Amino acid sequence: MRNEKLHSRLSWLDESSKDLTIGGMTLHELAERAGTTPFYVYDRGLIAQRVRELRTTLPQAVKIHYAIKANPQLAVVQYLASLVDGFDVASHGELRIALDTGIDPKDIGFAGPGKSIPELRAAVCAGVQISIESELELERVSEISKTLNRIALIAIRVNPEFELKRSGAKMGGQASPFGIDAGEVPRLVAKAREKGLDVAGLHIYAGSQNLDAASIIEANRLTFELAVELIDNCKLSLRTVNIGGGYGIPYFENEQALDLPKIGASLDALLQEHEESLKSANITVELGRYIVGEAGYYVTRVTDLKTSQGKSFAVVDGGLHHHLANSGNFGQVIRKNYPVVIGNKLAQPINSNPISVVGPLCTPLDIVAHSVQLPTVEIGDFVVVLQSGAYACSASPHQFLGHDRPVEMLAGQR
Ligand SMILES: *Cc1c(COP(=O)(O)O)cnc(C)c1O
């Protein structure tokens, strides 16, 4: 039976089939491949489809970067290396993953506060573009550049005076550990030049998990204006202007997919309006969640069923330790259910009695789905958490309670 509420969020979910298939494989086949449950599986086809949509909907001139922190799984990143124009990394580990793919180091951006000396040395040595987050960091990069006798490629990360409204996480319009306050940028650009650094880019990131095209369009407009003002004031000739992203995906009931065509049209207009000032620069969007979030599934199996004070519970073999965000403990203020299905019973009628799905951890925080309506649940059923490709496996406390780590796989033909 088609679950309309689910479909309004997950247009790609094919519920005409009896069983969920991912990358052309059934859950039983995937469980055999994994050798165990729980596991994460990422659908190569859905990742490619997202990138294709971005390519056809955003102006051709806009470069698409993948932010590795959303999902650093090696096969996923390696696959994306063939699809996107660059990577954004935020740690030494992510830098190594990005370099391992063979992508041109110039197309790697390294951002994040508090980069260590070994991180900065690795970045300068590799020739990736370093987003400068503080004045001291600028001085450190300059020293390292002298020591290693390499010209360091830098972008000034700007802490804008505006915010990306209606975002899951705001990163602008306030005091911030990220970037240089806009008013300080001209002084730091002058200092960077004095020190012989190559100021190749501006990096302006205003927020994350946003489903409101109008807010993103407004932030883009302000971002272009700020970039052009800085370019003109500082007489910059840039290779890149990274305008951030923040494109969200619908997780919860009543959320709607982002209107990407609207964003594409407004970017087109902004590119034309500011053509003169931006002529040498590539405009880059950096996206994590939007590219991989919908391609990921967390697959668990039911191990126990019980009733307590008239309420039904299904216990599954995975939970918060593998998927913190799904438990509601990764940035959510009020816990809401991720979309969850019984993967081997997609076509079965929904039982009107709600059931709560919980994990095996000895804490009441270990909720997989609170009071949801599902087909009748039985031992051995596959409970699958959808929208689990971003900030899921790698953003979870795997050590907590000492269970095994989940297997991660990439499925589907290339
Ligand atoms: C986390 C992050 C991203 C990716 O954000 P998504 O919401 O996953 O698209 C991009 N850029 C920077 C600077 C980030 O910190």
Side-chain angles (χ1 to χ4, degrees), residues 40-43 46 292-298 385-390:
Y40 275 93
V41 57
Y42 311 113
D43 185 336
L46 283 177
V292 292
E294 302 196 298
Y297 303 77
Y298 178 53
V385 183
L386 309 177
Q387 310 293 71
S388 296

Side-chain angles (χ1 to χ4, degrees), residues 67 69 157 203 205 208-209 286-289 391:
K69 85 170 186 283
R157 178 154 175 194
H203 181 192
Y205 184 78
S208 177
Q209 179 48 19
E286 48 175 357
L287 303 171
R289 191 189 308 268
Y391 306 105

